[in-house]
Amino acid sequence: MKEIQIPKILALLSPGDDIQELLLSPENIDICYIYKNEMKFFSRCIKRLKLLFPFNSLAFSNEFRHIDLAKYNVIILDETIYPDKVIKYVRKCNQTCKIIYWMWNTVEYSGRLRLYNKWKRWHILLSMREKYNFEISSFDIEDCNRYNLTYNNQVAPFFRDLSNPNPISNSIFFFGKDKGRLSHLRNLADEFRSLGYVCDFNVVPDARKKYSAHDFDGVKRAHYTAYRDIVKSELNSNLLLEILQDGQGGITWRALEAMFYKRKLITNFQNIRKYDFYNESNIYIIGLDDEKKLEQFMKIPYQEIPENIKDRYTFMGWLHNMINN
């Protein structure tokens, strides 16, 4: 891929964002954290209460309040709480830059926090796009159509130094939050095991959701894991599983990892056929492809995807699409 000339860019993040891993290499991208990393529940509540008042900049980190926002050509705001207040603050400091609000999650799943009215903030954000001259970008085509958002492809880190040329040939890997998928994942694990496959399914419980003692039967109850370590674990398998949450209209990181690391993918996302990296030898679609051909699919060699297609889903390709939409 040709080197991309990009302007002076600032990425605004919330503490703990996985996007950090995407932004480590480009030297001309600055990172700034909007809020302090409040670990205690009481401190987080105080921060959100500050944002309810006109002098809401008091809730921002010292780093954000003192950075020279005026020197940037493009400011990318990662999905966060009270994005409307952040954008108003940014636009006050810089009247000419391009502001892009990037949705990592679907609209339905984003912003599920205590003391936070996500739908109120979302509709405020939608209503102020023209006045404050910014765009909202998402990987989810359904959300883009529903809310008139700007589409950009999904993106994931690509660790070129990681590889495993000898994965377990009959192992299927999944890692992700529950998001209402736990029961479906348990059923799939039972089905795949009946066919002789090893299922390494790792499911992170949803916050504040109560589970019974048997809810995780057949799958592993997982916890937060560094993304690089997730990739290391999945490279032990030659098959990756992608299960979209209800209402989602875009691929997850599993689909990109399958392409980056040359693994086969099993997915329930039927519209994946419309993506430029789709190859029926590499991707089996649950509910669409013939179940009788699953075993045959497992045995077909992986088909290489051209590098120019892979590059579109790396950070630099995603950034190029974002800026030049």
Side-chain angles (χ1 to χ4, degrees):
M1 188 175 186
K2 294 181 180 178
E3 183 178 353
I4 300 169
Q5 299 299 320
I6 54 179
K8 188 66 176 175
I9 301 171
L10 174 67
L12 296 177
L13 312 179
S14 296
D17 279 345
D18 286 334
I19 194 177
Q20 296 173 53
E21 297 180 77
L22 302 177
L23 299 175
L24 291 176
S25 55
E27 296 180 356
N28 50 355
I29 300 177
D30 294 337
I31 297 175
C32 177
Y33 293 94
I34 309 164
Y35 303 114
K36 296 178 181 179
N37 192 3
E38 305 286 4
M39 300 302 294
K40 295 182 179 180
F41 174 71
F42 180 74
S43 298
R44 295 198 301 270
C45 291
I46 293 297
K47 177 180 72 177
R48 292 173 196 169
L49 287 172
K50 288 179 182 178
L51 284 161
L52 298 176
F53 297 97
F55 298 99
N56 54 72
S57 63
L58 293 174
F60 298 145
S61 68
N62 288 331
E63 177 189 15
F64 181 51
R65 285 189 282 122
H66 291 96
I67 193 170
D68 182 10
L69 294 171
K71 70 179 182 180
Y72 294 98
N73 307 110
V74 179
I75 296 180
I76 300 173
L77 172 59
D78 187 36
E79 182 182 315
T80 188
I81 60 171
Y82 299 100
D84 53 302
K85 293 182 180 290
V86 178
I87 289 172
K88 287 179 181 179
Y89 181 83
V90 170
R91 187 54 82 200
K92 181 180 178 181
C93 299
N94 188 329
Q95 288 77 46
T96 60
C97 70
K98 182 171 186 176
I99 301 176
I100 304 166
Y101 183 59
W102 171 247
M103 298 287 296
W104 284 103
N105 290 298
T106 61
V107 174
E108 176 65 31
Y109 190 78
S110 65
R112 294 185 174 185
L113 299 169
R114 293 188 181 99
L115 304 181
Y116 184 70
N117 188 332
K118 59 168 277 184
W119 289 113
K120 177 183 177 181
R121 307 321 305 185
W122 176 246
H123 289 295
I124 289 174
L125 189 69
L126 292 177
S127 68
M128 57 184 271
R129 281 183 288 186
E130 183 175 353
K131 180 178 179 180
Y132 290 92
N133 188 24
F134 68 95
E135 63 185 59
I136 306 173
S137 186
S138 171
F139 73 97
D140 191 288
I141 295 174
E142 297 298 326
D143 278 347
C144 289
N145 292 334
R146 187 178 295 114
Y147 299 107
N148 193 26
L149 312 183
T150 303
Y151 174 78
N152 194 0
N153 56 253
Q154 181 64 279
V155 58
F158 185 10
F159 301 114
R160 298 179 187 272
D161 60 315
L162 294 183
S163 66
N164 183 349
N166 299 302
I168 301 172
S169 61
N170 65 336
S171 178
I172 305 172
F173 180 90
F174 174 88
F175 191 103
K177 291 183 178 179
D178 175 0
K179 297 183 180 180
R181 299 174 291 182
L182 181 56
S183 177
H184 187 30
L185 287 165
R186 286 203 317 268
N187 293 336
L188 285 174
D190 290 340
E191 180 180 344
F192 290 136
R193 287 190 181 106
S194 70
L195 297 173
Y197 292 95
V198 176
C199 294
D200 187 5
F201 290 8
N202 305 267
V203 184
V204 179
D206 288 335
R208 299 184 298 279
K209 180 178 178 179
K210 294 182 179 180
Y211 294 91
S212 72
H214 300 288
D215 280 343
F216 287 85
D217 288 352
V219 299
K220 298 176 184 177
R221 183 169 183 148
H223 303 281
Y224 170 79
T225 304
Y227 179 63
R228 186 181 175 89
D229 292 333
I230 294 173
V231 174
K232 286 181 179 179
S233 295
E234 75 181 7
L235 290 182
N236 292 323
S237 302
N238 71 331
L239 295 155
L240 305 185
L241 177 65
E242 173 187 69
I243 298 297
L244 271 59
Q245 57 188 294
D246 289 342
Q248 184 171 338
I251 57 173
T252 71
W253 282 15
R254 296 295 89 80
L256 299 187
E257 292 154 6
M259 175 175 60
F260 289 158
Y261 303 108
K262 303 177 183 179
R263 295 298 189 263
K264 292 207 168 190
L265 179 72
I266 301 173
T267 179
N268 67 341
F269 183 40
Q270 296 191 2
N271 281 338
I272 200 169
R273 293 173 298 169
K274 300 177 182 179
Y275 285 72
D276 52 5
F277 59 81
Y278 173 74
N279 185 308
E280 62 180 6
S281 296
N282 298 341
I283 300 174
Y284 179 89
I285 304 174
I286 298 171
L288 185 65
D289 291 336
D290 190 341
E291 293 182 10
K292 296 179 181 178
K293 295 183 178 180
L294 177 59
E295 188 172 354
Q296 180 183 352
F297 164 79
M298 305 290 201
K299 295 177 180 178
I300 298 173
Y302 179 87
Q303 301 296 309
E304 290 282 350
I305 303 300
E307 289 299 319
N308 66 312
I309 292 180
K310 289 183 182 179
D311 286 339
R312 294 171 193 164
Y313 298 89
T314 63
F315 175 68
M316 293 306 293
W318 172 84
L319 184 63
H320 180 264
N321 294 340
M322 182 79 76
I323 295 172
N324 300 289
N325 219 317

